[in-house]
Structure formats: structure tokens, C-alpha cells
């Protein structure tokens, strides 16, 4: 079945460091891909998404590009801030069908130190 | 309401008791999901409601778990005879249509003692 694999954390970075969180997926057809973020004490929020190959999702300085050839959707940010400390979840929504639910990776905890 | 609302926010229950968790989705959203977030396990899909269609129950871990959605709006997740391994954060999400964003509630933290 469809699945998402993301790098295990925790990831600890200094402020202004470059961030990459790897995410790869297994799916049939052309799923939609997402990154969700969960800040401490808050609910999951959609960070960015991409719905077709080569699309780049971006938000709040974060970017991820839908790479069909490598089945990847790595999250990047050029300069992280302390306020980016959170748990990041990569997810996919299967293409078509009636299922429609999101399939999540296990999450990667990011801690940014001043 | 403005967002997905879940209640209670925290629930402590004794092993063997039944619990009910409530989700109020965003008004007009036809799709509703329940997920479970266990420590170190990520999000586990439980059940999915879409309009008037039969729900997708494929993620429910045992027959102690059930959910219903009355009138296409509010949903209740029921766990019977709770076990300690049921302790987790239970998240509800809703979305308006097939290719739209899912909005999550803040979850109910269930602790079974």
C-alpha cells in the first residue's frame, strides 16, 4: 500500500542554519504531497503542498519540490529561526479513488537553538 | 465555527471504562477524518467519513473502536473497554472537498490509567 518515509529526528540546528528534512513516498499513480507542521501545544497545520510532478510548494520560507523520478518531497529552508521549532510531518493523499485520506510519515522533530 | 473543535481536550480514564470523543468539523465540510497520534508513532489513520457514503473504517485497530457522524456534521469516536495502549492524542480533521486542504483540530489527549 501507499506509504511515506521521512528522516527520523530529532534534528537540532543553530539559528540561521540550512534545513533539509527528507521525505520519500511509495504510491501508485500521482498522489498529492503535503508537509504539515505541529508547533508545541498546537494542532497540525498545513505548511505547503504540491499536487503534480515538478510542482514546488512554498510557505514561510520553506520549500519542497515534487520529484516523481525519485519519489521524494524533501522539505528545505535556507535559514531557520527558533520559531521554526516544531514537529514536521510529510504526507500524501492517494490519487483518485474514494479513500481520500492522508497517509503520514512518523514526523521529524526540529529544535532550533539561538 | 472558525475551525475544527474537539472535546474534551484532555481525558483521563480508568482501564476498562468506555470513552467518547467529540469532533465538530468546520461547517459545510463534507469529509471528516479521525487519526491517532501515539508517542513516536506518527499519525495513524482510523476512520474517514465522506458525505453520505459508507465510512472507511479500515484503520480502526479493533472492534472496541467505533465512530459515527450524525447529520453529516458532528462526529463521535467511541472506545469501549479502554486499554492502556489506547493512550494517545486523537485528532479530527475535516475538509470541504476532494482536492481541498484538511484542517485539524487540536486533538483530545486520552490517558488510560
Amino acid at each position: 500500500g501507499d506509504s511515506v518515509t521521512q528522516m527520523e529526528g530529532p534534528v537540532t540546528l543553530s539559528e540561521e542554519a540550512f534545513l533539509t528534512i527528507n521525505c520519500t513516498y511509495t504510491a501508485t499513480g500521482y498522489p498529492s504531497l503535503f508537509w504539515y507542521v505541529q508547533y508545541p501545544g498546537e494542532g497540525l497545520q498545513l505548511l505547503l503542498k504540491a499536487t503534480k510532478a515538478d510542482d514546488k510548494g512554498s510557505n514561510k520560507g520553506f520549500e519542497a519540490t515534487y520529484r516523481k523520478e525519485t519519489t521524494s518531497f524533501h522539505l528545505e529552508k535556507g535559514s531557520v529561526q527558533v520559531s521554526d521549532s516544531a514537529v514536521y510531518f510529510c504526507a500524501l493523499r492517494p490519487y483518485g479513488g474514494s479513500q481520500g485520506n492522508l497517509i503520514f510519515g512518523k514526523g521529524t522533530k526540529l529544535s532550533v537553538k539561538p | 465555527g472558525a475551525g475544527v473543535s474537539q472535546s474534551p481536550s484532555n481525558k483521563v480514564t480508568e482501564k476498562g471504562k468506555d470513552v467518547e470523543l467529540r469532533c465538530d468539523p468546520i461547517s459545510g465540510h463534507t469529509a471528516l477524518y479521525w487519526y491517532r497520534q501515539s508517542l513516536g508513532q506518527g499519525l495513524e489513520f482510523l476512520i474517514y467519513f465522506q458525505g453520505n457514503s459508507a465510512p472507511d473504517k479500515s484503520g480502526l485497530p479493533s472492534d472496541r473502536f467505533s465512530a459515527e457522524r450524525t447529520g453529516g456534521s458532528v462526529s463521535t469516536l467511541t472506545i469501549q473497554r479502554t486499554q492502556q495502549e489506547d493512550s494517545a492524542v486523537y485528532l479530527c480533521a475535516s475538509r470541504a472537498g476532494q482536492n481541498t486542504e484538511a484542517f485539524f483540530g487540536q486533538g483530545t489527549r486520552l490517558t488510560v490509567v
Side-chain angles (χ1 to χ4, degrees):
Chain A
D2 295 355
S3 65
V4 174
T5 302
Q6 61 183 103
M7 62 187 288
E8 293 189 17
V11 174
T12 302
L13 296 173
S14 297
E15 206 164 22
E16 299 183 2
F18 184 85
L19 168 71
T20 300
I21 301 178
N22 289 339
C23 172
T24 57
Y25 67 90
T26 300
T28 55
Y30 297 88
S32 295
L33 302 174
F34 305 83
W35 277 100
Y36 279 81
V37 58
Q38 187 175 33
Y39 297 105
E42 299 185 15
L44 275 171
Q45 303 172 27
L46 178 65
L47 180 60
L48 53 84
K49 68 178 181 181
T51 58
K52 61 183 187 294
D54 299 325
D55 267 3
K56 177 185 284 187
S58 61
N59 186 24
K60 299 181 181 180
F62 291 89
E63 293 184 341
T65 301
Y66 189 143
R67 300 287 189 200
K68 182 71 174 174
E69 64 276 15
T70 55
T71 61
S72 65
F73 193 54
H74 305 321
L75 182 68
E76 297 181 336
K77 186 173 185 180
S79 176
V80 293
Q81 305 300 312
V82 173
S83 57
D84 294 327
S85 297
V87 181
Y88 292 82
F89 293 90
C90 185
L92 72 82
R93 186 167 66 221
Y95 175 77
S98 62
Q99 188 178 24
N101 63 293
L102 291 166
I103 297 169
F104 286 86
K106 291 189 175 182
T108 303
K109 183 175 182 179
L110 170 67
S111 295
V112 180
K113 306 298 184 185
Chain B
V4 178
S5 178
Q6 292 187 245
S7 60
S9 55
N10 281 284
K11 176 72 176 180
V12 180
T13 190
E14 291 181 353
K15 179 181 173 181
K17 300 283 190 184
D18 298 351
V19 295
E20 286 189 352
L21 312 180
R22 178 186 168 103
C23 173
D24 282 89
I26 293 173
S27 178
H29 280 194
T30 59
L32 186 147
Y33 307 81
W34 284 98
Y35 289 87
R36 178 167 69 176
Q37 186 178 19
S38 303
L39 190 63
Q41 296 299 314
L43 275 80
E44 175 188 10
F45 166 72
L46 297 177
I47 188 168
Y48 162 56
F49 296 89
Q50 173 61 58
N52 295 320
S53 302
D56 177 355
K57 304 179 182 180
S58 61
L60 295 178
S62 76
D63 59 7
R64 295 187 295 105
F65 288 72
S66 62
E68 62 178 22
R69 188 179 185 192
T70 54
S73 180
V74 171
S75 178
T76 303
L77 177 68
T78 301
I79 309 173
Q80 296 178 310
R81 306 181 302 282
T82 52
Q83 304 295 314
Q84 287 186 331
E85 61 263 28
D86 300 334
S87 297
V89 176
Y90 289 82
L91 293 170
C92 176
S94 71
R95 61 181 172 86
Q98 193 76 6
N99 294 307
T100 59
E101 176 184 348
F103 292 85
F104 283 78
Q106 293 200 354
T108 294
R109 181 175 296 278
L110 175 67
T111 304
V112 181
V113 298

